[in-house]
């Protein structure tokens, strides 16, 4: 039997944002994933492999090559692929494009939280950051909030204008503070190490979705935002001890561990207590989400074959 190789464009044509979030929710009803990461280096080049095994779903190994000199050759800096293995016998079931899995996993991770935490009547969605992930977030949130309009803020106005020119229903804004105060949902995907979004700007009823920070020195919101919000994460294992957004206020004593209400293994806790809650979700990623996403991709690929 031939092993399917699922490329980006053909694979994406079969996918649905709401369907993916339902698959992620279902994946978290299974036994908790075992996760392992490995790193190999050659000078400034890196091979990162992330593996996950979920009993009842299978095994995934996603390998990423990071070659910083590639952009000078007009090549992507990050490349890779994902191998998906069968749960029952460990046989290779599919090879899936790295960028396809990463795009849908990351935005879908955030959308699952927003579908449960954001107010259903949310109409103004602010995207902070005009990179590839900002484009994916526009697509994901459009699926769950079809009547919403989008505003976009980016450090570089030229990049924001470029993104707005490529996608519908987006207005570029220059004043981040005003944009935050007017938004119902704020979704941020930047590489910031200094908080961009201030807690003093927030108002009751908002939902914050934080994606960009992935290192201990990175954060997109300040302590006051964390303190004012009811805080949720996708996984305690991939956020606590790993990401500055969570670690810095914990280590400073600004918040205590019980300020983090739940992760996706307690999905029933992902709910508002009132319409005035400020909710905050930290998207930490993780190989278990890559596994759930790639299984959804393969299922859709097979169904459309």
């Amino acid at each position: 039997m031939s092993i399917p190789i699922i490329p980006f464009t053909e694979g994406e044509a079969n996918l649905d944002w709401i369907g993916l979030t339902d698959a992620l929710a279902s994946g978290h009803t299974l036994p908790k994933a075992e996760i392992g990461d490995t790193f190999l280096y050659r000078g400034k080049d890196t091979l990162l492999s992330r593996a996950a095994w979920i009993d009842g779903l299978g095994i995934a190994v996603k390998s990423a090559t990071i070659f910083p000199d590639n952009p000078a050759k007009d090549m992507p800096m990050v490349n890779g692929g994902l191998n998906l293995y069968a749960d029952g016998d460990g046989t290779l079931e599919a090879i899936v494009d790295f960028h396809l899995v990463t795009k849908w996993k990351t935005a879908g991770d955030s959308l699952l939280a927003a579908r449960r935490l954001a107010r259903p009547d949310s109409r103004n969605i602010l995207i902070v950051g005009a990179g590839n992930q900002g484009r994916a977030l526009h697509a994901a949130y459009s699926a769950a909030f079809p009547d919403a309009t989008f505003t976009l803020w980016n450090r570089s106005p030229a990049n924001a204008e470029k993104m707005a020119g490529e996608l519908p229903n987006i207005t570029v804004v220059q004043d981040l503070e005003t944009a935050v105060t007017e938004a119902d949902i704020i979704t941020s995907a930047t590489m910031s190490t200094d908080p961009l979004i201030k807690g003093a700007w927030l108002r009751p009823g908002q939902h914050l979705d934080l994606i960009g920070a992935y290192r201990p020195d990175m954060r997109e919101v300040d302590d006051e935002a964390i303190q004012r919000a009811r805080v949720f994460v996708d996984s305690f294992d991939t956020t606590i001890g790993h990401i500055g957004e969570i670690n810095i206020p914990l280590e400073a004593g600004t918040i205590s561990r019980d300020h983090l209400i739940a992760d996706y293994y307690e999905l029933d806790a992902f709910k508002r207590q009132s319409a005035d809650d400020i909710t905050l979700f930290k998207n930490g990623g993780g190989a278990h989400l890559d596994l759930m996403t790639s299984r959804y991709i393969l299922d859709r690929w097979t169904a459309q074959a």
Side-chain angles (χ1 to χ4, degrees):
M1 184 177 74
S2 62
I3 305 300
I5 299 175
I6 304 178
F8 188 98
T9 302
E10 293 86 344
E12 185 167 58
N14 299 317
L15 306 184
D16 168 84
W17 289 107
I18 302 303
L20 171 61
T21 58
D22 290 344
L24 294 177
S26 177
H28 283 89
T29 66
L30 297 171
K32 193 173 182 181
E34 292 191 49
I35 301 171
D37 293 350
T38 62
F39 294 83
L40 299 176
Y41 303 99
R42 184 191 63 187
K44 56 188 173 182
D45 300 332
T46 303
L47 169 63
L48 163 62
S49 294
R50 312 190 77 175
W53 192 335
I54 299 175
D55 186 21
L57 199 64
I59 305 164
V61 180
K62 187 174 83 168
S63 296
T65 57
I66 303 98
F67 280 50
D69 289 340
N70 277 6
K73 307 171 190 174
D74 198 27
M75 297 170 61
M77 182 187 303
V78 181
N79 292 283
L82 181 143
N83 288 348
L84 181 62
Y85 299 91
D87 181 60
D89 56 19
T91 55
L92 180 64
E93 286 188 281
I95 300 170
V96 189
D97 182 273
F98 170 89
H99 300 286
L100 177 62
V101 176
T102 301
K103 172 185 174 177
W104 282 77
K105 181 276 295 281
T106 304
D109 184 2
S110 286
L111 188 64
L112 174 57
R115 288 183 66 195
R116 291 170 177 260
L117 296 175
R119 289 171 48 146
D121 61 353
S122 297
R123 293 294 180 268
N124 185 338
I125 299 176
L126 169 64
I127 299 174
V128 181
N132 289 335
Q133 199 54 54
R135 289 164 170 79
L137 291 166
H138 176 271
Y141 275 96
S142 293
F145 300 89
D147 297 325
T149 58
F150 292 82
T151 52
L152 172 64
W153 181 91
N154 191 64
R155 287 187 189 275
S156 165
N159 286 343
E161 294 291 349
K162 184 176 186 296
M163 175 173 158
E166 296 170 356
L167 300 171
N169 201 22
I170 300 182
T171 301
V172 175
V173 294
Q174 305 296 330
D175 183 347
L176 181 58
E177 179 178 353
T178 299
V180 168
T181 61
E182 294 177 349
D184 300 313
I185 298 172
I186 301 120
T187 177
S188 185
T190 73
M191 301 288 284
S192 182
T193 54
D194 296 315
L196 291 168
I197 298 167
K198 312 298 183 184
W201 301 346
L202 302 179
R203 58 174 173 80
Q206 290 179 309
H207 174 65
L208 284 80
D209 167 33
L210 305 177
I211 298 165
Y214 62 89
R215 295 192 319 239
D217 62 332
M218 298 175 74
R219 59 192 312 202
E220 297 183 290
V221 301
D222 65 4
D223 284 354
E224 185 175 351
I226 295 286
Q227 288 175 311
R228 293 187 62 192
R230 300 183 68 237
V231 179
F232 302 80
V233 301
D234 53 9
S235 169
F236 292 133
D237 293 341
T238 61
T239 52
I240 298 174
H242 299 279
I243 295 174
E245 209 92 69
I246 301 299
N247 262 21
I248 292 170
L250 276 176
E251 291 177 353
T254 304
I255 61 170
S256 59
R257 171 63 182 78
D258 61 9
H259 192 73
L260 309 179
I261 296 168
D263 71 1
Y264 277 156
Y265 285 102
E266 302 171 284
L267 261 175
D268 288 345
F270 275 64
K271 61 182 68 174
R272 288 179 163 268
Q273 293 180 329
S274 78
D276 287 339
D277 282 345
I278 298 171
T279 55
L280 185 153
F281 173 70
K282 177 54 200 165
N283 177 328
H288 61 302
L289 295 165
D290 292 312
L291 170 54
M292 295 173 194
T293 301
S294 60
R295 175 62 63 189
Y296 170 73
I297 291 170
L298 177 59
D299 288 347
R300 294 293 295 165
W301 179 268
T302 303
Q304 296 299 318

